[in-house]
Amino acid sequence: GLPEMALQEWPEWMVRAWDRVAPPLPSNESARPFLPRTLIYKFIKEIAFAREENVRNFKEKESETYEKLKIVDEEYDSWKKEEGEGPKYLWVNRGKSLLRVRAIWQECFLDLLTKVHNPVQDMKEGLLLFNSALQDQRNQYHGDLKDMEGLLAVDFLHTWLQKNLVERTSEVSLQIFKSALHMAEFTLPPSSVEALWYSADKAQMVGSKSMERASLRQVKDLEDRLVMYLSGGMFYESLRGLIVNELHVPSLHSLDAKEIAAAFKQVDEKTGCCGVIDPHEVSELLLLLSQEGMDLTVVQQSFDQLRVHLDPEAVQDAFMMVDTNCDDKIDLTEFLSLIDRMVDTMIPDAIFEYMGLQRHQIFWGVILKVVTILTMFLFVF
């Protein structure tokens, strides 16, 4: 808050950077309260970089140090790091100058955590984590910290990340959890994955047993919750493994992954798209996949054998309408829909065509007969 900011004091190296850049007042040579807009960039440069050297002079005077500089990445070939014994500094090449990065500040630290898929969701949590790393640096780092007080040395940050992120396998972020499930071939809906992660126990802050990290979850609790979630049925990969490796059904072995996935999705949609289907739904899905169905040729041949002579184009149109999954085959349900369509439209149309009548002719014929019958009743009664 504001009261804490008012009590905040600059480290000595930042005060010296200000004194080197800010101009003194005409009336008092020792007072430097203001910084002109034109000197802001220079001041930021003084803060970000602890040393600036001409490339040619640096190469001649400190050839051993220059030989230690190795390109960080081919894409960022202007950035170099020192190899070998001693402190590991980070340098950047700007034109004819070499600039040594002073250290890593808080915002850079948090951005780095985001880039390695361990983001900090709360700014206060990020500040506490950064201060914890600073405390570890004061206790463990053997280099000179006078020019980087309040910042993290590059080589120490590398060690800290190795210890507290890479080797700390008891906690995980949401992004890493999703990546782990993907690599393990667990196809679950994103909403289910997020619900599992958010419901799990939060990880503890580094070096603290009472403070929690809202951006990390305990792996052990996630394992238990995932096992409980998957115990309710089978997810897509387990079902595919059952069909391919365990069941010896020829009609199922000929199916490709897309057909199995489509059938799984069709059954899963009935239960709210949770990514897991119950045992009785598994049998329903296997029955659905094992049905070979009837294609258009088989349907037309069946009608011919039954001596039901219908217009081939009308049969084809009806077949295409009832083939809801567009696989050029109809199962039992779709075949019954085809029969219903035949009874409702196709067979009456065939009868009318055989009699040489149109629908409106039959309609007026029926009306005429009804009127005749009513007239006869009037005469009788």
Side-chain angles (χ1 to χ4, degrees):
L2 188 59
E4 290 79 5
M5 293 178 63
L7 297 175
Q8 182 70 30
E9 294 185 2
W10 281 11
E12 289 295 327
W13 63 267
M14 188 176 290
V15 174
R16 292 194 298 269
W18 177 275
D19 292 339
R20 286 194 298 269
V21 177
L25 292 177
S27 57
N28 188 349
E29 291 292 330
S30 61
R32 302 170 183 267
F34 303 110
L35 188 68
R37 183 183 300 177
T38 55
L39 296 177
I40 292 178
Y41 172 78
K42 185 177 180 181
F43 176 64
I44 295 176
K45 185 178 177 182
E46 287 283 340
I47 293 176
F49 302 103
R51 184 177 173 186
E52 181 176 5
E53 297 287 346
N54 180 274
V55 176
R56 180 179 298 178
N57 295 338
F58 185 71
K59 188 175 182 179
E60 293 176 355
K61 295 179 180 180
E62 301 185 39
S63 57
E64 293 184 4
T65 305
Y66 184 82
E67 292 297 329
K68 294 180 181 179
L69 301 183
K70 304 298 180 182
I71 295 176
V72 175
D73 188 87
E74 293 182 358
E75 185 177 356
Y76 304 100
D77 55 358
S78 61
W79 288 87
K80 302 177 181 180
K81 60 179 178 180
E82 287 189 32
E83 300 287 354
E85 299 180 357
K88 307 297 189 295
Y89 295 114
L90 194 63
W91 296 75
V92 60
N93 197 180
R94 291 288 185 268
K96 298 181 179 180
S97 299
L98 267 176
L99 302 168
R100 195 188 80 189
V101 176
R102 185 180 298 276
I104 305 301
W105 51 94
Q106 176 187 334
E107 290 78 9
C108 182
F109 172 76
L110 297 181
D111 186 61
L112 180 61
L113 291 180
T114 302
K115 291 245 180 6
V116 295
H117 304 297
N118 277 273
V120 176
Q121 298 176 348
D122 182 68
M123 185 58 66
K124 183 178 180 180
E125 177 188 334
L127 180 59
L128 292 173
L129 191 62
F130 183 75
N131 288 335
S132 175
L134 284 177
Q135 186 61 44
D136 291 343
Q137 180 176 251
R138 297 188 192 100
N139 298 333
Q140 303 171 16
Y141 191 65
H142 302 292
D144 187 7
L145 296 175
K146 66 178 182 179
D147 287 336
M148 59 179 74
E149 182 184 352
L151 304 178
L152 291 174
V154 174
D155 50 349
F156 175 79
L157 178 61
H158 181 271
T159 305
W160 188 91
L161 291 174
Q162 179 73 24
K163 179 181 178 181
N164 293 282
L165 292 187
V166 179
E167 298 176 4
R168 200 175 169 92
T169 57
S170 60
E171 55 196 32
V172 67
S173 67
L174 178 58
Q175 291 87 338
I176 298 297
F177 181 54
K178 290 181 177 179
S179 299
L181 292 179
H182 177 73
M183 294 176 65
E185 295 186 349
F186 281 86
T187 302
L188 298 177
S191 58
S192 299
V193 175
E194 293 177 3
L196 284 171
W197 189 85
Y198 281 110
S199 62
D201 294 337
K202 297 178 182 178
Q204 300 298 318
M205 183 72 71
V206 176
S208 174
K209 295 183 179 180
S210 59
M211 300 186 65
E212 297 179 336
R213 284 199 63 183
S215 55
L216 297 178
R217 294 295 186 272
Q218 295 183 17
V219 172
K220 184 65 175 67
D221 192 48
L222 278 173
E223 290 177 351
D224 296 339
R225 293 179 182 276
L226 186 60
V227 170
M228 291 178 60
Y229 183 79
L230 296 179
S231 63
M234 302 184 71
F235 56 99
Y236 165 67
E237 281 78 9
S238 62
L239 177 67
R240 189 180 64 183
L242 174 67
I243 293 174
V244 175
N245 301 323
E246 301 297 333
L247 299 180
H248 302 288
V249 181
S251 60
L252 294 179
H253 285 188
S254 61
L255 299 173
D256 58 19
K258 291 183 178 179
E259 291 177 305
I260 299 175
F264 182 90
K265 182 179 179 181
Q266 181 178 351
V267 176
D268 186 37
E269 285 178 349
K270 299 179 181 179
T271 57
C273 297
C274 61
V276 176
I277 58 177
D278 297 334
H280 71 278
E281 294 172 334
V282 173
S283 60
E284 178 184 343
L285 186 144
L286 294 177
L287 181 62
L288 177 65
L289 289 173
S290 60
Q291 293 175 350
E292 296 184 1
M294 303 172 63
D295 57 17
L296 179 60
T297 303
V298 174
V299 171
Q300 290 178 334
Q301 290 176 353
S302 301
F303 288 156
D304 292 339
Q305 292 176 1
L306 294 173
R307 297 182 180 180
V308 179
H309 303 293
L310 299 173
D311 183 15
E313 293 185 359
V315 174
Q316 182 178 359
D317 293 340
F319 182 92
M320 294 176 65
M321 291 190 67
V322 300
D323 184 19
T324 54
N325 56 357
C326 300
D327 61 350
D328 295 330
K329 292 182 179 181
I330 57 175
D331 54 20
L332 179 59
T333 304
E334 293 171 335
F335 179 74
L336 293 177
S337 299
L338 177 64
I339 298 299
D340 290 340
R341 183 173 177 80
M342 289 174 55
V343 173
D344 291 341
T345 59
M346 296 175 62
I347 294 179
D349 289 343
I351 294 174
F352 295 154
E353 183 178 356
Y354 178 78
M355 296 175 62
L357 297 174
Q358 300 294 328
R359 289 178 180 270
H360 66 277
Q361 293 176 325
I362 296 176
F363 174 77
W364 289 113
V366 171
I367 294 296
L368 181 61
K369 288 181 175 56
V370 170
V371 171
T372 303
I373 293 173
L374 290 175
T375 302
M376 291 175 63
F377 273 100
L378 288 175
F379 279 105
V380 172
F381 298 99

